[in-house]
Coordinates of all heavy atoms in Angstrom, one line a residue:
T184 N 30.6 15.6 -21.8 CA 29.5 14.8 -21.5 C 29.1 13.9 -22.7 O 29.3 14.4 -23.8 CB 28.2 15.7 -21.2 OG1 28.7 16.8 -20.5 CG2 27.2 14.9 -20.4
A185 N 28.6 12.7 -22.5 CA 28.0 12.0 -23.6 C 26.8 12.7 -24.0 O 26.1 13.4 -23.2 CB 27.6 10.6 -23.1
S186 N 26.5 12.7 -25.3 CA 25.2 13.3 -25.8 C 24.1 12.5 -25.2 O 24.2 11.4 -24.8 CB 25.2 13.3 -27.3 OG 24.9 12.0 -27.8
A187 N 22.9 13.2 -25.1 CA 21.7 12.5 -24.6 C 21.5 11.2 -25.4 O 21.1 10.2 -24.8 CB 20.5 13.4 -24.6
Q188 N 21.7 11.3 -26.7 CA 21.4 10.1 -27.5 C 22.4 9.0 -27.2 O 22.1 7.8 -27.1 CB 21.5 10.4 -29.0 CG 20.4 11.3 -29.6 CD 20.4 12.7 -29.0 OE1 21.4 13.3 -28.7 NE2 19.2 13.3 -28.9
Q189 N 23.7 9.4 -27.1 CA 24.7 8.3 -26.8 C 24.4 7.7 -25.4 O 24.5 6.4 -25.3 CB 26.1 9.0 -26.7 CG 26.8 9.3 -28.0 CD 28.1 10.1 -27.8 OE1 28.2 10.9 -26.9 NE2 29.1 9.8 -28.6
A190 N 24.1 8.5 -24.4 CA 23.8 8.0 -23.1 C 22.5 7.1 -23.1 O 22.5 6.0 -22.5 CB 23.6 9.1 -22.1
Q191 N 21.5 7.6 -23.8 CA 20.3 6.8 -23.9 C 20.5 5.4 -24.6 O 20.0 4.4 -24.2 CB 19.2 7.6 -24.7 CG 18.0 6.8 -25.2 CD 17.2 6.1 -24.2 OE1 17.2 6.5 -23.0 NE2 16.4 5.0 -24.5
E192 N 21.3 5.4 -25.6 CA 21.6 4.2 -26.4 C 22.2 3.1 -25.4 O 21.7 2.0 -25.4 CB 22.6 4.4 -27.5 CG 22.9 3.2 -28.3 CD 24.1 3.3 -29.3 OE1 25.0 4.1 -29.0 OE2 24.1 2.6 -30.3
V193 N 23.2 3.6 -24.6 CA 23.8 2.6 -23.7 C 22.8 2.2 -22.6 O 22.8 1.0 -22.2 CB 25.1 3.1 -23.2 CG1 25.8 2.1 -22.3 CG2 26.1 3.4 -24.3
C194 N 22.1 3.2 -22.0 CA 21.2 2.8 -20.9 C 20.1 1.9 -21.4 O 19.7 1.0 -20.7 CB 20.6 4.1 -20.3 SG 21.9 5.1 -19.4
E195 N 19.6 2.1 -22.6 CA 18.6 1.2 -23.2 C 19.2 -0.2 -23.3 O 18.5 -1.2 -23.1 CB 18.2 1.8 -24.5 CG 17.0 1.1 -25.2 CD 16.7 1.7 -26.5 OE1 17.2 2.8 -26.9 OE2 15.8 1.2 -27.2
H196 N 20.4 -0.2 -23.8 CA 21.1 -1.5 -23.9 C 21.3 -2.2 -22.6 O 21.1 -3.4 -22.5 CB 22.5 -1.2 -24.6 CG 23.3 -2.5 -24.8 ND1 22.9 -3.4 -25.7 CD2 24.5 -2.9 -24.3 CE1 23.8 -4.4 -25.7 NE2 24.8 -4.1 -24.8
I197 N 21.6 -1.5 -21.6 CA 21.8 -2.1 -20.2 C 20.5 -2.7 -19.8 O 20.4 -3.8 -19.3 CB 22.2 -1.0 -19.2 CG1 23.7 -0.6 -19.5 CG2 22.1 -1.5 -17.7 CD1 24.2 0.6 -18.7
R198 N 19.4 -2.0 -20.0 CA 18.0 -2.5 -19.7 C 17.8 -3.8 -20.5 O 17.2 -4.8 -19.9 CB 16.9 -1.5 -19.9 CG 15.7 -1.8 -19.0 CD 14.6 -0.7 -19.1 NE 15.1 0.6 -18.8 CZ 15.4 1.0 -17.5 NH1 15.2 0.2 -16.5 NH2 15.8 2.3 -17.3
A199 N 18.1 -3.8 -21.7 CA 17.9 -5.0 -22.6 C 18.7 -6.2 -22.1 O 18.2 -7.3 -22.0 CB 18.3 -4.7 -24.0
V200 N 19.9 -5.9 -21.6 CA 20.8 -7.0 -21.1 C 20.1 -7.5 -19.8 O 20.0 -8.8 -19.6 CB 22.2 -6.5 -20.8 CG1 23.0 -7.6 -20.1 CG2 22.9 -6.1 -22.1
I201 N 19.6 -6.7 -18.9 CA 19.0 -7.1 -17.7 C 17.7 -7.9 -18.0 O 17.4 -8.9 -17.4 CB 18.7 -5.9 -16.8 CG1 20.0 -5.2 -16.4 CG2 17.9 -6.3 -15.6 CD1 19.9 -3.9 -15.6
R202 N 17.0 -7.4 -19.1 CA 15.7 -8.1 -19.5 C 16.1 -9.5 -20.0 O 15.4 -10.5 -19.7 CB 15.1 -7.3 -20.7 CG 13.7 -7.8 -21.0 CD 13.0 -7.0 -22.1 NE 13.1 -5.5 -21.9 CZ 13.7 -4.7 -22.7 NH1 14.4 -5.1 -23.8 NH2 13.7 -3.4 -22.5
G203 N 17.2 -9.6 -20.7 CA 17.6 -10.9 -21.2 C 17.9 -11.9 -20.1 O 17.7 -13.1 -20.2
I204 N 18.4 -11.4 -18.9 CA 18.7 -12.3 -17.8 C 17.5 -12.6 -16.9 O 17.2 -13.7 -16.6 CB 19.8 -11.7 -16.9 CG1 21.0 -11.2 -17.7 CG2 20.3 -12.7 -15.8 CD1 22.1 -10.4 -16.9
Y205 N 16.7 -11.5 -16.6 CA 15.7 -11.6 -15.6 C 14.3 -11.5 -16.1 O 13.3 -11.7 -15.4 CB 15.9 -10.5 -14.6 CG 17.2 -10.5 -13.8 CD1 18.3 -9.7 -14.3 CD2 17.4 -11.4 -12.8 CE1 19.5 -9.8 -13.6 CE2 18.6 -11.4 -12.1 CZ 19.7 -10.6 -12.5 OH 20.9 -10.7 -11.9
G206 N 14.1 -11.1 -17.4 CA 12.7 -10.8 -17.9 C 12.3 -9.4 -17.8 O 13.0 -8.5 -17.2
A207 N 11.2 -9.1 -18.4 CA 10.7 -7.7 -18.6 C 10.5 -6.9 -17.3 O 10.8 -5.8 -17.2 CB 9.5 -7.7 -19.5
R208 N 9.8 -7.6 -16.3 CA 9.4 -6.8 -15.1 C 10.6 -6.3 -14.3 O 10.6 -5.2 -13.9 CB 8.4 -7.6 -14.3 CG 7.1 -7.6 -14.9 CD 6.1 -8.5 -14.2 NE 4.8 -8.5 -14.9 CZ 3.7 -8.2 -14.3 NH1 3.7 -8.1 -13.0 NH2 2.6 -8.2 -15.0
P209 N 11.5 -7.2 -13.9 CA 12.6 -6.7 -13.2 C 13.4 -5.6 -14.0 O 13.8 -4.6 -13.4 CB 13.5 -7.9 -12.9 CG 12.6 -9.1 -13.1 CD 11.6 -8.7 -14.1
A210 N 13.5 -5.9 -15.3 CA 14.3 -4.9 -16.1 C 13.7 -3.5 -16.1 O 14.4 -2.5 -16.0 CB 14.4 -5.4 -17.5
R211 N 12.3 -3.4 -16.1 CA 11.8 -2.1 -16.1 C 11.7 -1.5 -14.7 O 11.4 -0.3 -14.6 CB 10.4 -2.1 -16.8 CG 9.3 -2.7 -16.0 CD 8.0 -2.7 -16.8 NE 7.0 -3.2 -15.9 CZ 5.8 -3.7 -16.3 NH1 5.6 -3.8 -17.6 NH2 4.9 -4.1 -15.5
A212 N 12.0 -2.3 -13.7 CA 12.0 -1.7 -12.3 C 13.4 -1.2 -11.9 O 13.5 -0.4 -10.9 CB 11.6 -2.8 -11.3
V213 N 14.4 -1.5 -12.7 CA 15.8 -1.0 -12.3 C 16.0 0.4 -12.7 O 15.8 0.8 -13.9 CB 16.9 -2.0 -13.0 CG1 18.3 -1.5 -12.6 CG2 16.7 -3.4 -12.5
S214 N 16.5 1.2 -11.8 CA 16.8 2.6 -12.2 C 18.3 2.6 -12.8 O 19.2 2.1 -12.2 CB 16.8 3.5 -10.9 OG 15.5 3.5 -10.4
I215 N 18.4 3.3 -13.9 CA 19.7 3.4 -14.6 C 20.1 4.8 -14.7 O 19.3 5.6 -15.2 CB 19.6 2.7 -16.0 CG1 19.2 1.2 -15.9 CG2 21.0 2.8 -16.7 CD1 19.0 0.5 -17.2
L216 N 21.2 5.2 -14.1 CA 21.6 6.6 -14.0 C 22.7 6.8 -15.1 O 23.4 5.9 -15.5 CB 22.2 6.9 -12.7 CG 21.5 6.4 -11.4 CD1 22.2 6.9 -10.1 CD2 20.0 6.7 -11.4
Y217 N 22.8 8.1 -15.5 CA 24.0 8.5 -16.3 C 24.9 9.3 -15.4 O 24.5 10.1 -14.6 CB 23.5 9.3 -17.5 CG 24.7 10.0 -18.1 CD1 25.6 9.2 -19.0 CD2 25.1 11.3 -17.8 CE1 26.7 9.8 -19.5 CE2 26.3 11.8 -18.3 CZ 27.1 11.1 -19.2 OH 28.2 11.6 -19.7
G218 N 26.2 9.1 -15.6 CA 27.2 9.9 -14.9 C 28.4 10.2 -15.8 O 28.8 9.4 -16.7
G219 N 28.9 11.4 -15.6 CA 30.1 11.8 -16.5 C 29.8 13.3 -16.9 O 29.1 13.5 -17.9
S220 N 30.3 14.2 -16.1 CA 30.2 15.6 -16.4 C 28.7 16.1 -16.5 O 28.4 16.9 -17.4 CB 31.0 16.0 -17.7 OG 32.3 15.7 -17.5
M221 N 27.8 15.4 -15.8 CA 26.4 15.9 -15.7 C 26.5 17.2 -14.9 O 27.1 17.3 -13.9 CB 25.5 14.9 -15.1 CG 24.0 15.2 -15.4 SD 22.9 14.2 -14.4 CE 22.2 13.2 -15.7
N222 N 25.7 18.2 -15.4 CA 25.7 19.5 -14.7 C 24.4 20.2 -14.8 O 23.4 19.6 -15.4 CB 26.9 20.4 -15.2 CG 26.7 20.7 -16.7 OD1 25.6 20.8 -17.3 ND2 27.9 20.7 -17.4
A223 N 24.3 21.4 -14.2 CA 23.0 22.1 -14.2 C 22.5 22.4 -15.6 O 21.3 22.4 -15.8 CB 23.2 23.3 -13.4
K224 N 23.4 22.5 -16.5 CA 23.0 22.9 -17.9 C 22.5 21.7 -18.7 O 21.5 21.8 -19.5 CB 24.1 23.5 -18.6 CG 24.4 24.9 -18.1 CD 25.0 25.8 -19.3 CE 25.3 27.2 -18.8 NZ 26.6 27.4 -18.1
N225 N 23.2 20.6 -18.6 CA 22.8 19.4 -19.5 C 21.9 18.4 -18.9 O 21.4 17.5 -19.5 CB 24.1 18.8 -20.0 CG 25.0 18.2 -18.9 OD1 24.5 17.8 -17.9 ND2 26.3 18.2 -19.1
A226 N 21.6 18.6 -17.6 CA 20.8 17.5 -16.9 C 19.4 17.3 -17.5 O 19.0 16.1 -17.7 CB 20.7 17.9 -15.4
A227 N 18.7 18.4 -17.7 CA 17.3 18.2 -18.2 C 17.3 17.4 -19.5 O 16.4 16.5 -19.6 CB 16.7 19.6 -18.4

Side-chain angles (χ1 to χ4, degrees):
T184 324
S186 70
Q188 288 70 27
Q189 283 173 324
Q191 163 61 21
E192 182 193 24
V193 180
C194 292
E195 187 180 355
H196 180 66
I197 291 172
R198 202 176 304 288
V200 173
I201 297 174
R202 194 182 305 119
I204 310 170
Y205 299 98
R208 283 175 181 229
R211 74 182 184 199
V213 176
S214 299
I215 303 176
L216 319 183
Y217 167 77
S220 301
M221 193 189 248
N222 58 38
K224 286 209 178 86
N225 60 31

